Amino acid sequence: RDTIMLFRKQSETSDDFSIDDWDIPDVDEYYNTILHNQAMKVMSNLILLSNEASFSRYPCNDLVPSLLNIMKDAACQPQEAYHACRCLGAILQMKYSTRDELLRNDALDIFEKTQLVGKCSHLLLEEESGRIINSLIC
């Protein structure tokens, strides 16, 4: 939509308008970010709604490291980090072995940094990170 509006504005103001005269924002990157955010939201809701019996049937060996990688990028994408944090919190409640895996991957440092990012820019991220830090420490 923004690209179309920019095109109209440029064509109305310039007689010798050329498409090479203006920059098109990277639409694919923009929509990929939106889709990734929505996928994270759906996944976090799915994990929160699942119970321990149904969740334990599916291996999640690659899931925890992937979610930690998303959390490492919290400064750039705090909303996605929030959803990753929700996923990890739910997994942590259902599978006690996840706690050991998180501690082995230096997740406590990641959660502390994420909590600082949340303190500056995303209240829910700060709260969720704090909950997980408390559950890892206790």
Side-chain angles (χ1 to χ4, degrees):
R1 187 181 82 186
D2 295 335
T3 305
I4 293 170
M5 296 302 290
L6 181 61
F7 179 76
R8 283 185 183 166
K9 184 178 177 182
Q10 286 285 357
S11 62
E12 290 171 359
T13 59
S14 175
D15 293 334
D16 57 343
F17 172 72
S18 169
I19 198 162
D20 298 327
D21 293 341
W22 50 285
D23 294 328
I24 298 174
D26 192 0
V27 175
D28 289 340
E29 183 178 334
Y30 173 75
Y31 285 110
N32 283 340
T33 302
I34 290 174
L35 288 174
H36 190 262
N37 189 6
Q38 292 298 321
M40 291 297 302
K41 187 186 302 184
V42 168
M43 185 170 64
S44 66
N45 288 335
L46 178 67
I47 292 172
L48 287 168
L49 293 174
S50 66
N51 58 28
E52 186 174 347
S54 65
F55 190 76
S56 63
R57 283 186 285 189
Y58 302 104
C60 58
N61 300 340
D62 297 335
L63 186 59
V64 171
S66 297
L67 292 171
L68 286 174
N69 283 336
I70 292 169
M71 297 207 41
K72 288 178 186 176
D73 199 25
C76 296
Q77 298 175 331
Q79 184 67 23
E80 290 184 16
Y82 165 67
H83 291 302
C85 197
R86 286 179 65 204
C87 290
L88 287 168
I91 293 169
L92 188 60
Q93 288 178 344
M94 287 187 278
K95 295 179 77 173
Y96 188 78
S97 61
T98 305
R99 182 180 186 277
D100 296 333
E101 184 178 355
L102 288 172
L103 291 173
R104 275 194 310 270
N105 288 319
D106 296 325
L108 197 54
D109 293 336
I110 295 169
F111 284 113
E112 288 172 351
K113 290 175 184 172
T114 304
Q115 189 177 30
L116 289 174
V117 169
K119 194 174 284 189
C120 297
S121 64
H122 199 291
L123 180 63
L124 293 174
L125 178 60
E126 177 189 8
E127 291 173 357
E128 194 67 35
S129 297
R131 266 187 285 243
I132 293 177
I133 289 170
N134 289 336
S135 66
L136 287 175
I137 291 173
C138 296

